[in-house]
Amino acid sequence: MQGEIKVFKVTGEMMLSHDSFPEWRKFTIYVRALKESDALEKAFSVLGSRHKLKRRHIRVASVTALSPDEVDDVRVKALSQMTRVM
């Protein structure tokens, strides 16, 4: 079972410095996935590992599928344009 890999834009808020002075900050992250649920899982994983956040400290506002032309992230755009693995 093979599907087409899409680019998703995940936006929302995350709580930084949840111990001393909690502050909600907006985020936008681009991820590649087969389904919307996979993109959401990847976003939780990336934000949790980068900022040491629990899932309860991440509020997702929207998950939207984009065409490769609408992507701002250079790394994700380059991965989308690859035709073969070297």
Side-chain angles (χ1 to χ4, degrees):
M1 185 171 134
Q2 213 172 18
E4 180 183 345
I5 297 178
K6 302 172 193 157
V7 178
F8 290 92
K9 178 181 178 181
V10 182
T11 59
E13 295 178 327
M14 60 183 169
M15 182 188 291
L16 297 179
S17 301
H18 57 295
D19 293 334
S20 54
F21 299 104
E23 177 184 354
W24 287 96
R25 290 231 181 133
K26 293 181 181 180
F27 71 87
T28 301
I29 187 170
Y30 296 96
V31 294
R32 298 181 69 225
L34 293 173
K35 303 181 290 188
E36 185 176 319
S37 60
D38 294 340
L40 187 59
E41 188 68 30
K42 180 69 175 178
F44 279 131
S45 175
V46 168
L47 290 172
S49 65
R50 281 187 193 164
H51 302 286
K52 307 226 183 313
L53 297 173
K54 305 278 187 200
R55 288 176 181 244
R56 65 178 177 262
H57 296 136
I58 301 170
R59 295 179 186 163
V60 175
S62 68
V63 179
T64 56
L66 300 175
S67 69
D69 299 334
E70 298 173 328
V71 179
D72 294 333
D73 191 356
V74 177
R75 287 173 272 158
V76 174
K77 186 180 270 191
L79 282 173
S80 298
Q81 295 173 350
M82 287 180 60
T83 56
R84 61 187 168 128
V85 179
M86 294 187 196

